[in-house]
């Protein structure tokens, strides 16, 4: 549609026309602001825990364990210098190792969701035994941690607000 | 032919007072849109409607995704 619109504007004499081809889906997936009637619907980014511990991929397991304990957390997200997610470490999976790199104990493919996904729909997607997922932008940059309990709470809230028969 | 830009380009041009046009339906636009976008549904885009735009300024058009 944007291609046709751009072409039409040019035929109408406009000389400075640009196409944002990835569209609003790209904009919202990057966690950028939105307006409109549904703009205030809670999204994944709104309920994600932002202050989740992070570490580098070359940190030692012992150092990661200390970081998790200091934060009173159960997980640590492995990120690069740009906060692009490389993996997820669960405290329960650390074992007794201390000197190995974080890379050895991390899950390199954690479940991730885009920030604009309606919070009420998340329980439909989280069907694995894991109760946690990450929210990242379309560039893979960490926004926060999602817990299934939080997602279910928003899903229950959405269900109770639906009109009867819906 | 109109050039393609990414979201960084959109942000840069908006800082330079570009006009942002959402060509989706009014219903889709009202649900949610990018801030500062005006709605000109594609099916209404003609000479009369185009007068809402300033021909001397940059114009950015977008829809939902790679449609």
């Amino acid at each position: 549609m944007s291609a046709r619109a751009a072409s039409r504007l040019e035929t109408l004499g406009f000389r400075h026309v640009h196409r944002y081809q990835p569209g609003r889906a790209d904009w919202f997936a990057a966690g950028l602001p939105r307006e409109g009637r549904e703009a205030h619907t809670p999204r994944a980014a709104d309920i994600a825990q932002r202050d989740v511990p992070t570490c580098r991929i070359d940190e030692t397991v012992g150092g990661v364990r200390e970081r998790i304990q200091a934060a009173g957390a159960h997980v640590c997200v492995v990120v690069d210098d740009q906060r692009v997610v490389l993996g997820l470490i669960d405290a329960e999976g650390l074992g007794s190792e201390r000197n190995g790199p974080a890379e050895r104990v991390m899950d390199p493919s954690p479940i991730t969701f885009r920030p604009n996904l309606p919070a009420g729909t998340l329980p439909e997607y989280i069907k694995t035994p894991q109760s946690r997922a990450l929210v990242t932008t379309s560039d893979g940059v960490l926004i926060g941690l999602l817990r299934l309990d939080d997602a279910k709470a928003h899903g229950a809230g959405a269900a109770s607000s639906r009109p009867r028969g819906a | 032919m109109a050039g393609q830009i990414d979201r960084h380009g959109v942000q840069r041009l908006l800082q330079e007072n570009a006009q942002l046009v959402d060509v989706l339906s009014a219903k889709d636009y009202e649900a949610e849109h990018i801030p500062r976008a005006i709605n000109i549904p594609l099916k209404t885009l003609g000479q009369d409607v185009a007068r809402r735009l300033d021909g001397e300024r940059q114009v950015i058009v977008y829809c939902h995704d790679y449609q």
Side-chain angles (χ1 to χ4, degrees):
Chain A
M1 292 176 69
S2 64
R4 283 178 280 163
S7 179
R8 183 73 178 111
L9 284 172
E10 288 180 319
T11 60
L12 289 170
F14 287 83
R15 292 172 289 123
H16 311 294
V17 182
H18 307 269
R19 284 181 58 203
Y20 176 30
Q21 188 178 12
R24 67 178 191 176
D26 172 73
W27 185 272
F28 300 149
L32 293 171
R34 56 185 183 267
E35 292 180 344
R37 186 182 62 249
E38 296 176 6
H40 300 294
T41 300
R43 308 298 172 110
D46 299 326
I47 64 172
Q49 175 190 341
R50 301 290 181 119
D51 60 343
V52 57
T54 61
C55 66
R56 299 186 316 272
I57 199 168
D58 58 353
E59 289 192 42
T60 63
V61 174
V64 173
R65 183 182 295 108
E66 291 171 3
R67 192 186 297 267
I68 291 176
Q69 290 174 347
H74 299 283
V75 299
C76 184
V77 185
V78 185
V79 298
D80 68 7
D81 292 341
Q82 308 300 319
R83 280 181 68 87
V84 173
V85 173
L86 302 175
L88 181 65
I89 296 176
D90 191 315
E92 296 175 357
L94 287 176
S96 59
E97 183 173 2
R98 282 199 60 83
N99 297 324
E103 179 179 13
R104 190 176 301 172
V105 297
M106 76 176 187
D107 172 6
S109 57
I111 297 173
T112 60
F113 295 103
R114 291 291 173 260
N116 58 311
L117 191 67
T121 66
L122 289 169
E124 301 173 17
Y125 296 101
I126 306 178
K127 297 182 185 232
T128 67
Q130 296 172 295
S131 61
R132 306 184 190 97
L134 298 176
V135 179
T136 66
T137 69
S138 50
D139 295 328
V141 175
L142 175 68
I143 290 181
L145 175 71
L146 270 178
R147 294 180 303 182
L148 181 58
D149 291 344
D150 293 335
K152 283 184 174 178
H154 279 272
S160 66
S161 66
R162 287 194 200 107
R164 290 182 182 178
Chain B
M1 180 183 249
Q4 297 178 21
I5 57 174
D6 61 14
R7 62 178 178 272
H8 304 293
V10 172
Q11 291 173 305
R12 175 177 52 81
L13 288 177
L14 286 177
Q15 288 180 347
E16 298 172 4
N17 200 30
Q19 302 161 99
L20 184 61
V21 180
D22 181 317
V23 299
L24 293 166
S25 69
K27 179 181 177 183
D28 286 340
Y29 173 85
E30 288 163 5
E32 59 183 6
H33 54 266
I34 298 174
R36 293 180 54 182
I38 65 170
N39 183 219
I40 302 181
L42 179 61
K43 63 182 180 181
T44 70
L45 185 53
Q47 190 76 48
D48 291 341
V49 173
R51 290 201 181 98
R52 294 171 58 189
L53 300 172
D54 180 347
E56 296 304 312
R57 291 164 55 193
Q58 307 284 334
V59 179
I60 306 165
V61 295
Y62 76 86
C63 59
H64 180 69
D65 55 20
Y66 291 90
Q67 297 176 15

